[in-house]
Amino acid sequence: MLPMARKQGSHSDITGPKVHQAALRLIAQHGYAAVSMRQIAAEVGVQVGALYNYTSDKQSLLYDLMHSHMRDLLDAVAATDMSGDPVTRLRAFTCFHIRYHLPRSDNVFVSYMELRNLSPDNFTAVEAMRRDYENILEQILRDGEAEGVFSVADTRVSTMALIAMLTGLSHWYREDGRLGMDKIEAIYWDLVRKAVMA
Amino acid sequence: MLPMARKQGSHSDITGPKVHQAALRLIAQHGYAAVSMRQIAAEVGVQVGALYNYTSDKQSLLYDLMHSHMRDLLDAVAATDMSGDPVTRLRAFTCFHIRYHLPRSDNVFVSYMELRNLSPDNFTAVEAMRRDYENILEQILRDGEAEGVFSVADTRVSTMALIAMLTGLSHWYREDGRLGMDKIEAIYWDLVRKAVMA
DNA sequence: TTTTCAAATGAACAGTTGTTCAGTTACATG
DNA sequence: CATGTAACTGAACAACTGTTCATTTGAAAA
């Protein structure tokens, strides 16, 4: 088969997403700095130059991955029912976090590990969104403390501690492992609840 | 000042550690793949070629950093008093972890983020040491469960959750921040204790 | 003072990097 | 069928990569 400047059934609508998928997978596996544009192109099945129809440069590609992940995360959490008393809300947040993150380990990995490879402006933007997400949990803890149902030594630190605990799960969880998502959810909810309960 | 092939008072005993310090700092800041041997050399104040008097290649340099960190960690934890009932031991482990890791944020960062840049053999070696460290905590939890003083839904998962919570601290703690190490220690011990107590 | 040699230089190596762009191709439109 | 153009190729660019090594240096040993 001879090389073709344009393949059958190949459009911007197909190649565009493919570029992002390939970049996400490769960067999650090897890291941003260790992945070349040529590797991404090869995974898509295209030459390097073609990538620049879909991103202005490598940095923007990384930013797009991280920014869209955070946007989707914030949209999803906003669409989740978080009403009720603080304990119910904490449970809803915990379960949401686990169920949203576990099937998206590549996204989590990239958004966690590649922060330092963002340009200063891009870093600020992504960091603000991460902070927005953390604040949702922090507010739940504050409300629970105000009602006297939660009791933690420091709300902000406890927020960070719980987020770290929950996010760490994505780093070692394997879908084909010993425990299913329901079990995991129960175990983590048990730890979270007890840790903050008055 | 003309370039000199050997500077005054410059020995292997001085440059060697400097190479590791520079590599640690730069890799913690930018990541292994993003740091070049020339950048490390510049930080040391030397030309690239000189680095190869102290490491056989870049990969070995990374492995040395990670392996020696894990070795020091395991030595330090072994030298710490972990006797007594499970609650006392859990407290000792929690405080040890925090006090050991907080002043070594560069080491923690590198040992956490650069695992995927290790060659397969080096990865296996470092991973085994990490597992040894985790097992210390896991054994404390098991003993506590056997005595009925702890109660967790799954010991292994709880171990990973607590380690993630504790290690996450190193990612955001700033020495000049709002809270000193004593306060932090108290806050985390509170969370850990409550999370696993029966 | 002369000798010795660990330690560092600086140039070179072949390969890879991100990015650009003139040219080619195949599909959609007329 | 002819034409326009979005999508892609392939080659080129300068800069940078890890690594090697013959050469030079200067401090310590004789």
Side-chain angles (χ1 to χ4, degrees):
Chain A
M1 194 181 85
L2 290 173
M4 290 174 288
R6 186 171 181 178
K7 293 180 187 170
Q8 295 187 2
S10 177
H11 313 294
S12 167
D13 295 343
I14 295 177
T15 307
K18 266 185 160 184
V19 169
H20 285 78
Q21 286 166 27
L24 180 66
R25 201 192 70 74
L26 287 170
I27 293 175
Q29 187 171 3
H30 305 293
Y32 173 76
V35 172
S36 71
M37 295 298 271
R38 279 167 184 82
Q39 286 177 53
I40 298 173
E43 175 113 343
V44 175
V46 108
Q47 297 299 314
V48 216
L51 296 185
Y52 291 85
N53 290 323
Y54 305 98
T55 185
S56 56
D57 48 32
K58 197 188 178 189
Q59 168 68 209
S60 298
L61 187 54
L62 176 63
Y63 176 67
D64 280 351
L65 293 178
M66 299 180 68
H67 180 264
S68 63
H69 169 64
M70 290 309 297
R71 178 177 38 73
D72 293 347
L73 173 66
L74 289 173
D75 285 353
V77 74
T80 302
D81 180 35
M82 293 272 184
S83 61
D85 62 298
V87 179
T88 305
R89 287 162 62 203
L90 182 61
R91 178 161 215 264
F93 182 88
T94 301
C95 293
F96 165 81
H97 186 99
I98 292 174
R99 296 202 102 86
Y100 189 86
H101 283 84
L102 276 197
R104 291 173 177 83
S105 58
D106 280 354
N107 285 287
V108 175
F109 220 73
V110 169
S111 292
Y112 202 77
M113 310 280 271
E114 307 298 348
L115 278 169
R116 61 182 163 188
N117 288 309
L118 288 175
S119 69
D121 284 358
N122 289 344
F123 175 83
T124 302
V126 171
E127 192 63 10
M129 298 174 84
R130 170 191 299 274
R131 182 66 194 238
D132 285 344
Y133 184 70
E134 293 167 359
N135 284 345
I136 296 171
L137 174 57
E138 186 170 347
Q139 192 55 51
I140 295 174
L141 292 186
R142 285 201 192 287
D143 292 347
E145 285 180 283
E147 290 190 19
V149 60
F150 295 157
S151 170
V152 292
D154 185 284
T155 314
R156 182 64 198 160
V157 172
S158 298
T159 301
M160 299 300 280
L162 293 184
I163 292 268
M165 190 173 103
L166 291 171
T167 303
L169 170 57
S170 303
H171 295 349
W172 58 264
Y173 180 79
R174 295 291 162 260
E175 209 171 338
D176 56 351
R178 179 168 60 89
L179 298 159
M181 206 149 57
D182 292 342
K183 277 274 186 191
I184 291 283
E185 210 176 68
I187 296 166
Y188 271 78
W189 167 236
D190 202 49
L191 290 167
V192 169
R193 179 179 46 76
K194 287 167 65 183
V196 303
M197 276 303 211
Chain B
M1 196 182 84
L2 290 174
M4 290 174 289
R6 184 172 183 180
K7 292 181 188 172
Q8 294 187 0
S10 176
H11 313 296
S12 167
D13 295 344
I14 294 178
T15 307
K18 265 185 160 185
V19 169
H20 285 77
Q21 287 166 25
L24 180 66
R25 201 192 70 74
L26 286 170
I27 293 175
Q29 187 172 1
H30 304 293
Y32 173 75
V35 172
S36 71
M37 294 298 271
R38 280 166 183 82
Q39 287 177 54
I40 298 172
E43 174 113 343
V44 175
V46 107
Q47 297 299 315
V48 216
L51 295 185
Y52 291 86
N53 290 323
Y54 305 98
T55 186
S56 56
D57 49 32
K58 196 189 178 190
Q59 168 69 209
S60 297
L61 187 52
L62 176 64
Y63 176 67
D64 281 351
L65 292 177
M66 299 180 68
H67 180 264
S68 63
H69 169 65
M70 290 310 296
R71 178 177 38 72
D72 294 347
L73 173 67
L74 289 173
D75 285 353
V77 74
T80 302
D81 180 35
M82 293 272 184
S83 62
D85 61 299
V87 179
T88 304
R89 287 163 62 203
L90 182 61
R91 178 160 215 264
F93 182 89
T94 301
C95 292
F96 165 82
H97 186 99
I98 292 175
R99 296 202 101 86
Y100 189 86
H101 283 83
L102 277 196
R104 292 173 177 81
S105 59
D106 280 354
N107 284 288
V108 175
F109 221 72
V110 169
S111 292
Y112 202 78
M113 310 280 271
E114 307 297 349
L115 277 169
R116 62 182 163 189
N117 288 308
L118 288 174
S119 70
D121 284 356
N122 289 344
F123 175 82
T124 302
V126 172
E127 192 64 10
M129 299 174 85
R130 169 192 299 273
R131 182 65 194 241
D132 285 343
Y133 184 70
E134 293 167 359
N135 283 345
I136 297 172
L137 174 57
E138 185 170 346
Q139 193 54 53
I140 295 174
L141 292 186
R142 285 201 191 286
D143 292 346
E145 286 181 283
E147 291 190 18
V149 59
F150 295 158
S151 169
V152 292
D154 185 285
T155 314
R156 182 66 198 160
V157 172
S158 298
T159 301
M160 299 299 282
L162 293 184
I163 292 269
M165 191 174 104
L166 291 171
T167 303
L169 170 57
S170 302
H171 296 349
W172 58 264
Y173 180 79
R174 295 291 162 258
E175 209 170 335
D176 56 351
R178 178 168 61 89
L179 297 159
M181 207 150 55
D182 292 343
K183 278 274 187 191
I184 291 282
E185 210 177 68
I187 296 166
Y188 271 78
W189 168 235
D190 202 49
L191 290 167
V192 168
R193 180 180 45 78
K194 286 167 66 183
V196 302
M197 275 304 213

